[in-house]
Amino acid sequence: MRNLDELDVTEDITRFYQPELARVIAKQRLTTMMVLLRLQLASGELLDHSPGQFLQISLPGYGEAPISFCSSPTQTQSFGLCVQAVGNLSEAMHELRPGDFVGVRGPYGHGFPIEQMRGRDILCVAGGIGLAPLRSLINYVADRRSEFGRMILVYGARTPAERLFKDDLATWDARDDFETLYTVDNPSEDWTGRIGVVTIPLRDEVEIDPSRTTAAVVGPPVMYRFVAAELLAKKMAEDDVLFSLERRFKCGMGKCGHCQLNDLYVCQDGPVFRYTQLIGRSEAIEVWAPEDERE
Ligand SMILES: Cc1cc2nc3c(=O)[nH]c(=O)nc-3n(C[C@H](O)[C@H](O)[C@H](O)COP(=O)(O)OP(=O)(O)OC[C@H]3O[C@@H](n4cnc5c(N)ncnc54)[C@H](O)[C@@H]3O)c2cc1C
Ligand code: FES
């Protein structure tokens, strides 16, 4: 895969915007709104991504958008993308079948700082579709289990039917070396698990050693300030709290300014940021959690 560091804007910009072809090799419907696609580069090259990074995905006539890897880089023969049908491109991606092709650019962005997380306890807090990028990290930790401390996952979905990756949820829950806390906002009649937003089990049931814990948080923007408050109440350092941000991207590689957040480019400096980087950048979290969106 081409290395973004090689980019010479005057000579190579077209080359770097040029997508490569990737073939869909498997498709699985996860919920009414979500499909999981497994892909391989048509060139046979392997993608070398980090958990938390994304690809710019394109389909001629439908556009281009960033989609996070939901597979671990330890799985090298193919990569996974979990797509929610919300608009032009993503709805067209729901119609893809094995054998079809998409355009891909990337991997782009700064994902989770794996090297600095090694040896530490990992606390993942996922809301809704936020489980997709975190699945990449969680399965990385699962495949390199001895290199990390505790693995704690707190996952909240709106309803039991909207829970993603139900097979993975069961697998992680069954592991002795994973601590899982799953909750839903609106239970179905047959739901026997926790009820309530993700911050409730996080606050009431998760005990951590803040000095050795890194938290990775991905979910709807409204969740972030409340999760941050709970983590800081547990005496976590702001530097050890990681958030993945979403913005509307165009180039995806720090050239167009479309995703700018004050002096940061979300696509290039993120999408994963330490909470420390976001403090004082009021648009990062606060504007996304207006009073009327809170429970
Ligand atoms: C780093 C990153 C990772 C992501 N990972 C994933 C992922 O793993 N899976 C996934 O499903 N999605 C992911 N997304 C979100 C995805 O890129 C967007 O939902 C994308 O817009 C979908 O493209 P589309 O053409 O299908 O929808 P669009 O046509 O772009 O429409 C999507 C929604 O945005 C609204 N919209 C359209 N134009 C604008 C505008 N100019 N300003 C504001 N709102 C507008 C539309 O009304 C619609 O509600 C990620 C985004 C980022 C930034
Ligand atoms: S999307 Fe172009 S700079 Fe981020």
Side-chain angles (χ1 to χ4, degrees):
M1 211 61 185
R2 291 167 305 200
N3 182 352
L4 196 56
D5 296 338
E6 296 166 10
L7 178 61
D8 173 345
V9 176
T10 54
E11 294 175 13
D12 290 330
I13 196 78
T14 313
R15 180 166 79 82
F16 273 83
Y17 271 112
Q18 182 79 40
E20 298 193 33
L21 284 180
R23 183 188 294 106
V24 178
I25 57 169
K27 176 182 177 182
Q28 182 190 352
R29 179 158 291 284
L30 298 179
T31 69
T32 51
M33 294 290 285
M34 307 290 300
V35 292
L36 171 62
L37 299 173
R38 292 213 66 79
L39 300 106
Q40 278 173 338
L41 291 183
S43 65
E45 268 188 75
L46 301 179
L47 273 176
D48 185 19
H49 71 276
S50 305
Q53 282 192 304
F54 65 93
L55 283 173
Q56 287 288 103
I57 304 292
S58 55
L59 280 175
Y62 294 97
E64 186 177 48
I67 303 289
S68 304
F69 290 95
C70 68
S71 56
S72 165
T74 46
Q75 187 168 21
T76 52
Q77 296 309 311
S78 63
F79 55 93
L81 303 175
C82 177
V83 182
Q84 182 172 32
V86 293
N88 262 351
L89 175 72
S90 50
E91 283 171 9
M93 288 181 77
H94 271 232
E95 302 304 317
L96 291 170
R97 289 177 299 190
D100 290 342
F101 290 90
V102 299
V104 304
R105 293 193 290 121
Y108 290 146
H110 281 93
F112 297 102
I114 291 288
E115 291 315 316
Q116 292 150 40
M117 294 165 82
R118 233 178 269 284
R120 293 177 60 80
D121 294 345
I122 308 298
L123 167 58
C124 290
V125 184
I129 180 181
L131 186 61
L134 281 175
R135 177 178 180 257
S136 176
L137 175 65
I138 295 164
N139 280 338
Y140 182 88
V141 173
D143 288 345
R144 300 266 195 273
R145 193 65 195 92
S146 62
E147 298 173 18
F148 295 88
R150 291 169 67 195
M151 173 69 222
I152 309 163
L153 168 63
V154 189
Y155 173 47
R158 267 198 294 239
T159 65
E162 287 172 84
R163 293 181 343 134
L164 295 181
F165 306 115
K166 295 187 185 73
D167 293 347
D168 291 289
L169 292 175
T171 302
W172 298 331
D173 198 37
R175 288 183 69 127
D176 291 340
D177 55 357
F178 272 40
E179 299 161 59
T180 56
L181 300 91
Y182 304 148
T183 183
V184 299
D185 298 351
N186 304 305
S188 52
E189 277 183 11
D190 58 349
W191 176 253
T192 55
R194 295 176 185 78
I195 299 168
V197 294
V198 76
T199 42
I200 297 174
L202 176 64
R203 181 192 63 206
D204 295 343
E205 298 181 59
V206 176
E207 283 180 24
I208 54 166
D209 175 347
S211 68
R212 51 169 295 118
T213 303
T214 299
V217 186
V218 192
V222 67
M223 184 180 108
Y224 282 13
R225 66 158 59 172
F226 299 107
V227 170
E230 295 303 338
L231 296 175
L232 298 187
K234 290 182 190 298
K235 309 284 182 230
M236 283 198 66
E238 286 152 348
D239 221 32
D240 294 330
V241 177
L242 308 168
F243 289 114
S244 184
L245 297 191
E246 274 201 18
R247 280 288 187 278
R248 295 194 71 80
F249 290 0
K250 285 286 183 202
C251 70
M253 53 184 191
K255 300 296 159 200
C256 71
H258 211 76
C259 65
Q260 201 164 353
L261 174 66
N262 304 105
D263 55 328
L264 298 175
Y265 287 156
V266 175
C267 69
Q268 192 176 45
D269 300 314
V272 176
F273 292 94
R274 291 181 187 274
Y275 188 37
T276 334
Q277 291 174 278
L278 303 179
I279 292 167
R281 294 183 167 90
S282 58
E283 271 188 53
I285 292 180
E286 283 85 347
V287 168
W288 290 9
E291 295 293 331
D292 57 5
E293 279 188 55
R294 294 189 208 175
E295 57 270 73

